[in-house]
Amino acid sequence: MYKIKQRFGSTALITGASSGIGKAYAEALAAEGVNLILVARRESVLNDIADDLKARHRVNIQVIAQDLIAHDAAEIVYEKATSDVDILINNAGYGSYGRFEDIDIQSETDMVDLNCRQVISLTHRFLPNMKQNKRGAIICLSSVVGTMPTPYMSTYSATKAFNRYFAESLSGELRTQGISVQAVCPGDTHSDFRSSASFDKKMPISQRTPEDVVRSSLRTLGRRSTVTDGIINKIATKQPRFIPTRLLIAINEKIWRPKGA
Ligand SMILES: NC(=O)c1ccc[n+]([C@@H]2O[C@H](COP(=O)([O-])OP(=O)(O)OC[C@H]3O[C@@H](n4cnc5c(N)ncnc54)[C@H](OP(=O)(O)O)[C@@H]3O)[C@@H](O)[C@H]2O)c1
């Protein structure tokens, strides 16, 4: 049992709740009796998830169908939310894979909007209520590739470094105010992420599940400002401490080089 509700509050807003890690957060928090606001673009998928969770866990769930790349998305979500948010999970995001010059630039700049701009906009919108209540939690999805330079995922890797440093820095600002902030750094995790990122490379380590990632996150929420799920992923995130950057970039270039490049 995580005892999330008693410590952080009764309502969580999860972005990207229609699949993968976001859906797993919804399941875990509903099981804890936390009411949910689920945000993503696919309304019918969110409604199906909400109906299922309401039936099994007797929690209140609001669905907000919203494209978070839209410039005013944070404002729209804030206005539509019918209850105060105690736990904000900035999870929605996507990646891209390949030579930077070959990737569609609109998709890259949209990724920065979704993975970075929207994270700070939503956090800025929902933080004042947490500060007023002197409790709450903010979770930002980073990645193992956000802890080191990752050729062929250059933009994505940079957005995830942004998520990590934003969450860790904010955790320092809010530490004494009852609000916990956590950067979550999953490695390769089974979800729709690979297909949306056109990422077809087989990695040398086995995939984790969204449930593994969420368990690691919620178990340590309030105690750790950064959490990496899985022992191999934990070791991977330590590499920048021991391997000179130039060498690490060269190693990662070989590991991540696309087939035939
Ligand atoms: N899977 C991995 O290997 C892995 C590793 C490290 C970090 N992560 C991070 O974990 C987070 C969740 O990824 P996942 O693995 O669960 O991927 P996923 O299964 O593809 O889920 C992505 C979620 O984001 C939502 N989303 C995408 N674009 C959106 C937009 N424009 N507006 C609103 N919502 C949008 C999707 O919903 P709709 O399509 O319905 O909008 C979906 O619910 C991401 O931030 C990712 O960077 C994943």
Side-chain angles (χ1 to χ4, degrees):
M1 274 296 175
Y2 304 118
K3 300 209 169 99
I4 297 288
K5 193 173 168 179
Q6 293 89 326
R7 172 141 185 211
F8 300 106
S10 58
T11 302
L13 186 148
I14 306 167
T15 68
S18 60
S19 74
I21 296 169
K23 185 179 170 191
Y25 271 113
E27 174 73 48
L29 291 172
E32 287 264 317
V34 175
N35 298 321
L36 301 174
I37 302 171
L38 306 180
V39 184
R41 291 167 301 182
R42 289 171 293 169
E43 188 166 20
S44 63
V45 177
L46 289 179
N47 281 331
D48 288 347
I49 293 168
D51 289 346
D52 173 47
L53 293 178
K54 276 191 276 192
R56 287 191 289 122
H57 301 296
R58 295 169 185 272
V59 288
N60 298 325
I61 304 187
Q62 181 188 2
V63 161
I64 300 178
Q66 176 63 44
D67 183 345
L68 292 171
I69 290 169
H71 195 78
D72 51 354
E75 202 54 40
I76 293 170
V77 169
Y78 179 76
E79 291 299 332
K80 283 189 178 169
T82 51
S83 34
D84 287 346
V85 170
D86 307 297
I87 303 163
L88 173 64
I89 303 184
N90 287 308
N91 165 79
Y94 68 88
S96 61
Y97 175 63
R99 286 187 185 282
F100 175 70
E101 72 268 23
D102 295 337
I103 301 175
D104 175 55
I105 188 60
Q106 185 65 51
S107 174
E108 293 288 88
T109 55
D110 284 351
M111 187 206 299
V112 175
D113 281 347
L114 178 64
N115 294 10
C116 304
R117 187 174 58 77
Q118 217 47 254
V119 169
I120 57 170
S121 299
L122 285 167
T123 303
H124 201 262
R125 234 18 203 117
F126 287 102
L127 179 59
N129 175 64
M130 297 182 204
K131 287 194 84 159
Q132 203 177 349
N133 295 337
K134 296 187 171 51
R135 70 170 184 172
I138 298 163
I139 295 173
C140 297
L141 266 291
S142 175
S143 168
V144 168
V145 304
T147 67
M148 67 188 100
T150 311
Y152 309 110
M153 281 199 152
S154 301
T155 307
Y156 177 66
S157 162
T159 68
K160 293 289 124 177
F162 178 100
N163 293 150
R164 179 179 170 203
Y165 279 108
F166 173 65
E168 289 177 345
S169 304
L170 194 60
S171 78
E173 289 184 35
L174 299 174
R175 196 169 49 90
T176 55
Q177 299 178 49
I179 301 162
S180 299
V181 188
Q182 185 185 62
V184 180
C185 303
D188 194 10
T189 304
H190 186 74
S191 73
D192 295 342
F193 177 83
R194 272 180 164 261
S195 59
S196 69
S198 306
F199 181 57
D200 56 358
K201 201 165 175 70
K202 192 159 170 27
M203 299 308 283
I205 54 171
S206 62
Q207 273 193 326
R208 306 284 293 173
T209 67
E211 291 73 22
D212 291 330
V213 174
V214 168
R215 208 175 301 115
S216 298
S217 161
L218 296 182
R219 205 171 44 204
T220 55
L221 187 61
R223 289 190 287 121
R224 294 214 194 125
S225 56
T226 312
V227 63
T228 306
D229 169 61
I231 187 72
I232 305 290
N233 292 326
K234 280 193 181 75
I235 293 167
T237 62
K238 304 291 181 238
Q239 291 179 109
R241 285 198 208 163
F242 305 108
I243 303 177
T245 307
R246 209 162 59 134
L247 181 59
L248 189 56
I249 292 170
I251 293 168
N252 280 348
E253 193 280 325
K254 280 204 166 56
I255 292 175
W256 292 86
R257 190 183 298 163
K259 281 181 223 150

